Amino acid sequence: MNTNNWQLSALGVWRLTIREPKAITPLSWMEVSPKEEALQQMPQVKPPFDWDSIQLEEAGDSLILSFPLDRTEKLYGTGLQLLRMNQRGRNRYLRVNSDPKQDTGETHAPVPFYVSDLGYGVWVDTSRIVTIYCGSTLKQEDTHSEAIRDRNTDRGWIATPVASRVEIRIPAEGAHVYLFGGPTLADVVSRYNLFGGGGVLPPKWGLGFWHRVPTMYNEQQVLEEAEQFRLHDVPCDVIGLEPGWHSHSYPVTYEWEKSRFPEPGQFVEKLAQKGFRVNLWEHPFVSPNSEMYADLQPLSGSHTVWGGLAPDYSLTEAASLYKKQHEEQHVDIGVSGYKLDECDGSELTNNSWMFPGHAKFPSGLDGEQMRQMYGLMFQKMTADLFRSKNRRTYGLVRASNAAASTMPYVLYSDLYDHKQFIRALCNSSFSGLLWTPEVRRARNAEDWVRRMQTVCFSPLAMLNAWGDGTKPWSFPEVEEVVRHYIKLRMRLLPYLYTAFAKYREQGIPPFQAMPFVMSPSEIAAAEAKLVEAEQQMLNTTDAAYGKKKVREWDDQFMIGDALLIAPLVEGETEREVLLPVGIWYGLETGERYTGGCIVRVQAGLERIPVFVKSGAVIPMMPSLPHVPASGTQVPLELVHFGTEPGEGLLYDDDGETFNYEDGTCSWRKLTVTQHADGQYAGELTGNSEEWTSYRGVTWRFSQTRLA
């Protein structure tokens, strides 16, 4: 079938329309426009391969679209994958699902977008389930005799032969397929994010520390718990309420339980006076006890979940009912955001729950499409509600899809494997997603500290105590270590906020896996240095066909362009770290490292390995009990690392509204030069002379570690 009618959609972005797709898609639902100006500033790029090399053929009730693959090419993305980073050689069945325990591709956020380390990406914009065969299949004509080996005698035998194509199963109704050029992997992802409207800029308070209280806490218990944060000198900005705030939950009413919260407005105000925001848990399924039930019933699907309605929020009338109720009972009394739980469904856990794929909805969507889109629908409805008040929000969501980079939501999961949480943080960066490795419980003080250290260097730092009531001080013997890293996050808030601003304007993820900052050849050189025995040893315990160990570097990541985070988990006191080219310093040790290689570092429980690039200028502020209110100015410290001159950036606005879209914001370049006499000088240049959030600028030059 013809695949030559690719059309240029934006600079470096081409679109192929297959058949006549008519249903809503992630891109059409989000109603975002490409950031054309930012795309125009990116490098000129040609299509990564000849159009003739792309194939499309019918296969039963679907279509197969395929793209060529290089033998050594690595493939990343496909959404929030917790079990591997390089998807080459795997099948990705991209259905929204809760708590993936097996490496099938099903996940909370199955984005049908993959990106190659050769510098291109492919995205299928559809509300249907897509399957991507990431170099895991071989056609007869592509099977070469030299690849056929005798497993009994040939140690070079592999279970997944090297394939020459990616195959994508497209729904029979067709789809829009987009091809993104590079030239680098980072450029591809930036183009994808910019094409979807750019990245989200959260409110400043969203980057503070979060705490979720036990499910059945009442007003007084919540207030007392919040006060404990101040007494323990532990910063906290957001208190999250779990299902018990509802008058009925599973299914939910979205209405306050008066016996526990008799005056919700006064309760929210009391917390606000102490510097706390309120975030409310909810899920999509509406209880018969809800005041909205009768109005939503004819606007809902054919099947219920936990006895609750599954409203069809693709209908304007249904979305308006939801927004009106939330506006009057939540937003107008000061609630700052939501935790949008269980909009994913489950077949992978001990219980199965969700409307089926054959469910019918009034709009004409079926259950498959609604399930794939539900997370996006809830994100957009709530985000639009806060935008209508000129207030930014930040929250949590359990399901998402493509074109979500503008949404102020961070994904989370009920899985508890610490290494998977770190891998998910890395993987989210390839698909326009954010992820929090939230902390809930721990086996012991060591596990507790290692998890808390990781979460403090993530898009949303949260302790979720809904089930067992844990606190940052639950292990007194390590309370000081936990307090230290929560405070360090607060100090780094100007740097974090600037990284998110670059995400909004340039599409550069604030948290990046290592393939963003190191070329394939650099990573390959590092992999070649691994001990040969580790490469060749066959592991027949974990895999029926044996498994050769290949390091993916899916356990370390960058924040911005100057900080590298290499977490440790329980039982570890040392690890290997892949350092990009250049000079690096241990942020808290001052130890000097030469990059472009693998280094082994040791770290006691009191420290997580964090590295800062020499020449970087890191903007910092004091550690305060909570993020200051809009208009409050705090001292600004600009810390220069290393001996060579360098530079950094600082972004600022009011931190709460969308006024930055009208230009009410500032970018400043932070430049450090060195005079002939060896003295350093710092200069601030930018588009504004007035400060919104800072005062009393202090420079610290040629540092090797934080004081």
Side-chain angles (χ1 to χ4, degrees), residues 265-377:
Q266 293 181 19
F267 162 71
V268 173
E269 177 59 28
K270 288 177 183 177
L271 283 173
Q273 290 174 359
K274 296 180 180 293
F276 294 97
R277 310 276 175 156
V278 174
N279 179 279
L280 298 180
W281 173 98
E282 64 174 47
H283 69 217
F285 311 112
V286 181
S287 168
N289 297 324
S290 171
E291 296 173 356
M292 294 196 296
Y293 186 87
D295 290 333
L296 283 173
Q297 190 170 22
L299 305 173
S300 298
S302 58
H303 290 66
T304 60
V305 179
W306 298 312
L309 299 174
D312 185 344
Y313 286 120
S314 70
L315 299 174
T316 301
E317 185 179 356
S320 296
L321 287 168
Y322 174 95
K323 290 180 183 178
K324 183 175 186 295
Q325 192 272 351
H326 280 56
E327 178 180 25
E328 293 175 351
Q329 298 196 28
H330 309 159
V331 178
D332 283 351
I333 67 170
V335 168
S336 293
Y338 296 98
K339 174 184 175 182
L340 305 172
D341 201 5
E342 292 158 331
C343 44
D344 44 13
S346 178
E347 287 86 14
L348 306 178
T349 58
N350 292 331
N351 302 289
S352 292
W353 52 267
M354 194 46 155
F355 46 78
H358 59 265
K360 298 177 181 178
F361 287 83
S363 64
L365 296 177
D366 60 31
E368 175 189 327
Q369 295 167 303
M370 188 63 71
R371 181 170 176 175
Q372 294 291 100
M373 295 290 295
Y374 233 25
L376 283 183
M377 289 180 178

Side-chain angles (χ1 to χ4, degrees), residues 614-631:
S614 183
V617 182
I618 306 294
M620 304 183 70
M621 60 179 265
S623 175
L624 303 173
H626 59 87
V627 174
S630 177

